[in-house]
Amino acid sequence: MTIVHGLNQVPARTTIAIAGGGPSGTYLALRLAAAGIDSVVIEPRAEIDQLRPRAKTTNARTMSLLAGIGLAERVRETAALPVSYSQDVIFCTSLKGHELRRFHHAFQLVDADYELSPEAGQQIPQPQVEQVLRDAAAGSEHITYVTGVRALGTDPSASTISVASADDDEAGTVVLAARWIIGADGGTSRVRKSLGIAFQGTSAPRPNFNVVFTSAGLREQVSIAPAVQWWVVSETISGMIGELDRDGTWWAILQGCEPINDPAEVAAAIRTMAGVGSDVDIEVLATDSWTARMLLADSYGGAESDRRVFLVGDAAHLNPPWGGHGFNTCISDAENLAWKLIAVHEGWADPSLLDSYEEERRPVAARMIADAAANGKALAYDFIDPQLDEVSAQGDAVRARIRQALAVKDSEFHSEGLVLGYEYAGTSRVAPGPTPFVDAVEYRPQALPGCLLPHFRLAGGASVYPDARGFTVFVTGDASAHLATEILERTAREHSIPLRVVRLSGPDAHAAREHWGEDLVLVRPDLHIAATASASAKTDDGHDDGAGDDGAGDDGTSPDTVLAAALLTAVGMSTTGDRASRSDDSAPRGADYHREVS
């Protein structure tokens, strides 16, 4: 399907209507398309504005999700700055001044194999990621991508969305019917407002001013080491500056700065912040004034729409940019919702599974917002000292003090605990288990229910992560040959739940035991753990006595039985064997039940 334009291109009906073709909406459409599910994307922009870079960091988790739909390498190829360019954020007094503190391997930028995830982070402006996603959508037979149109609102009772031209409110409207409607239409979401859902939260007290500019001579003036972001602490103008490419295109954020209308004044401000003279050329390409907002929707839509409408991304939460979590959180929203929509559509999950989308994702967004807001209270201008640039013993002492004070920014740049450590422990669709360790900075891989499956590479070099088609149970115990999964497999077959059994052996089994510490690990399509179990000691007659770490065996049940029950809980199916009802268009697809890895 090629991208089409205009109101007359909107069809009358689809399976899933997605209002908004930004990162979360387009990723969701691609994830659904991989399962053969049709969608219509409603997007006002005919072209993506490359001069509004917005987010510039695609974190390790998002890169792994993009790899899951075959686009991680395309994103890296598109990026003008390879990871080898720099993995640092540097605080300094100017681009020609004193370095104050360096944060190495910021944003999971690792120019080597990244142990914690199949993919490291990538520095790339958000519009370029969006373009990669849009190009992929244009090639999908399951996606109708309509530009030049926007959503006006939704009628949940009729399961319809009203669509108008993006340019003319008077040009009429069309109504698009869908089984589900997704509001991915940004912070001013018409879908959210039509459901009567409000944002709660605050805004920062001071604005910021974005600038995109070109300069042929600035790079040769820089004496500070390469960085993906230089944070300039200056009495005159403080903020951030960085290269968008190696061909002279730059970006800057003047922190706490009111809008500047005159391009000559903007150029002068950039020179002042960079610490260079008026002889350095600066051509302003675009400016944008904005205020950081910390907003979270009261609901993600399912409760107000009888599970017909859901909000994702900026329509559900607005994150301050400090830490780069906004765009990345949006993609994780879409991943969580995608597998659940697929499961219900194909008939192997009860519709009540969709309730867990808000249950799981809204607390994650609240946590991301809180951490970013805390980082927003320590911006570059908060570290100003008049003696920072002095070449003297007193200047050295001041710089040493500021270096220590800047430790407060660690969670902004080293946020693996947020990026990889967000979890769904204690929620309704994962088994009970211990409370995971949670920290914004430190990520401790934990094979606990609700946590992301701890990553490692198999002996052949491939990631242990399975694809996102369905559930996977890993059998990792030293005695894996006799660990039974027959009950679990039969349960999956009876309910048409896609399940593959992966029996690890040799070095792979040893690595799994080191990383997970469990004999059996049941993993959801989003790679979060649904349940774990440990094999019991064998009795004299060769049968399991049923002991297990997460309650398996406490009542005499085997680990296999416990995981079978956990599988049904994960998809909301009845443990009595009743099948979930299906619409005529949602018959189950063929399920892959078994795959051996050795």
Side-chain angles (χ1 to χ4, degrees), residues 357-368:
Y357 165 62
E358 176 177 338
E359 178 191 13
E360 293 180 350
R361 292 303 303 168
R362 192 169 180 274
V364 171
R367 183 182 170 198
M368 299 294 186

Side-chain angles (χ1 to χ4, degrees), residues 203-211 231 238-240 252-260 287-294 320-322 375-376 378-382:
S203 297
R206 299 176 65 178
N208 303 280
F209 191 62
N210 280 2
V211 184
W231 282 59
S238 291
M240 306 155 63
I253 299 176
L254 311 185
Q255 295 175 353
C257 179
E258 297 290 341
I260 305 172
T287 61
D288 180 25
S289 185
W290 55 276
T291 300
R293 305 192 188 284
M294 292 70 75
W322 321 120
N375 280 311
L379 298 181
Y381 52 72
D382 292 305

Side-chain angles (χ1 to χ4, degrees), residues 94 117 137 156 175 184 197 336 345 388 403 500 575:
S94 75
S117 175
V175 175
I197 298 171
N336 186 284
H345 178 74
L388 267 177
R403 172 182 169 77
R500 49 171 59 106
T575 57

Side-chain angles (χ1 to χ4, degrees), residues 186-204:
T188 60
S189 171
R190 294 287 190 97
V191 173
R192 185 187 70 248
K193 292 174 181 177
S194 70
L195 294 176
I197 298 171
F199 268 149
Q200 301 294 333
T202 61
S203 297

Side-chain angles (χ1 to χ4, degrees), residues 164-182:
S165 170
D167 301 323
D168 186 358
D169 287 336
E170 304 301 324
T173 62
V174 298
V175 175
L176 172 60
R179 185 178 183 188
W180 290 291
I181 295 164
I182 311 302

